[in-house]
Amino acid sequence: MAVITRGFGGRRRDDADLPPGQYRTDDFPVLSAGPTPRIGLDDWELAVITETGERSTWSWSEFIALPADEPTVDIHCVTHWSKFGTRWRGVSLDTLLADVDTAAEYVVAHSYGGYTTNLPLEDLLDGQAWVAYEFGGEPLVPVHGGPARLLVPHLYFWKSAKWLRALELRLDDEPGFWETAGYHNYGDPWREQRYQED
Ligand SMILES: Nc1nc2c(c(=O)[nH]1)N[C@H]1C(S)=C(S)[C@@H](COP(=O)(O)O)O[C@H]1N2
Ligand SMILES: [Mo]
């Protein structure tokens, strides 16, 4: 697959765009804690579940009919690689949560396959996060989280849950898979928040 670096606009990218301790790669490494789940689009469903147990769900056809954005963003993995100018298509969390009534301040993202990761709700709003289903103009391939994954580029990429199944809105914070294994609860690459003590 040709990855077109549209969005660079010819601008030279340099170390100013690289968070501390990161190196730049043009590859797209695959980082998965387990096997790649295969979810047929007929069986796929995305759910938002509020703290009172109210569920909003989208089938695949409902989901891709929602207004979408095409963000071009830099991504930063805690294993030190960063990839500049990645181009996605996805539905912003602002759109998904627009009609959801909640007092929650935290979110746990749940993946098909069992992976979880936690984030503050405010980090998912105001154009900061998407549920992405295309990469580089092509449907998102399973190893990279297809049919659809969370995309939260301003935090380390482990927060961008692949094979997203549900967003659980919570009043309290509940650490996810890597967060309970010693990784930082928040994970800001610019403050190099890799591990709990950072
Ligand atoms: N469901 C799920 N999502 C996940 C992971 C995972 O193991 N399972 N790994 C995370 C980590 S550590 C990273 S760096 C990115 C890697 O995404 P990629 O494989 O598309 O590069 O996915 C994140 N999302
Ligand atoms: Mo990662």
Side-chain angles (χ1 to χ4, degrees), residues 82-146:
S82 291
K83 184 172 174 62
F84 288 169
T86 61
R87 191 161 56 90
W88 305 81
R89 178 178 175 84
V91 178
S92 82
L93 273 285
D94 301 296
T95 298
L96 282 173
L97 298 177
D99 297 326
V100 174
D101 187 23
T102 183
E105 292 184 22
Y106 301 97
V107 177
V108 174
H110 295 262
S111 297
Y112 290 97
Y115 183 87
T116 57
T117 188
N118 58 305
L119 312 97
L121 177 56
E122 65 174 11
D123 281 82
L124 298 182
L125 301 176
D126 299 321
Q128 296 184 92
W130 296 268
V131 179
Y133 56 91
E134 286 182 17
F135 175 78
E138 303 283 346
L140 185 60
V141 295
V143 289
H144 286 301

Side-chain angles (χ1 to χ4, degrees), residues 21-73:
Q22 297 292 107
Y23 68 87
R24 184 181 173 177
T25 182
D26 289 324
D27 296 337
F28 195 174
V30 171
L31 275 282
S32 302
T36 297
R38 305 279 162 166
I39 308 111
L41 297 183
D42 290 342
D43 300 323
W44 185 90
E45 178 183 85
L46 177 63
V48 169
I49 305 157
T50 73
E51 71 278 13
T52 61
E54 223 159 301
R55 290 172 67 92
S56 312
T57 61
W58 293 266
S59 66
W60 182 256
S61 57
E62 290 167 342
F63 172 66
I64 58 164
L66 294 170
D69 297 333
E70 297 199 336
T72 296
V73 294

Side-chain angles (χ1 to χ4, degrees), residues 164-180:
L164 187 66
R165 173 171 71 78
L167 296 166
E168 177 195 356
L169 309 186
R170 301 176 58 97
L171 299 175
D172 61 331
D173 198 10
E174 171 82 13
F177 180 83
W178 287 119
E179 294 84 2
T180 52

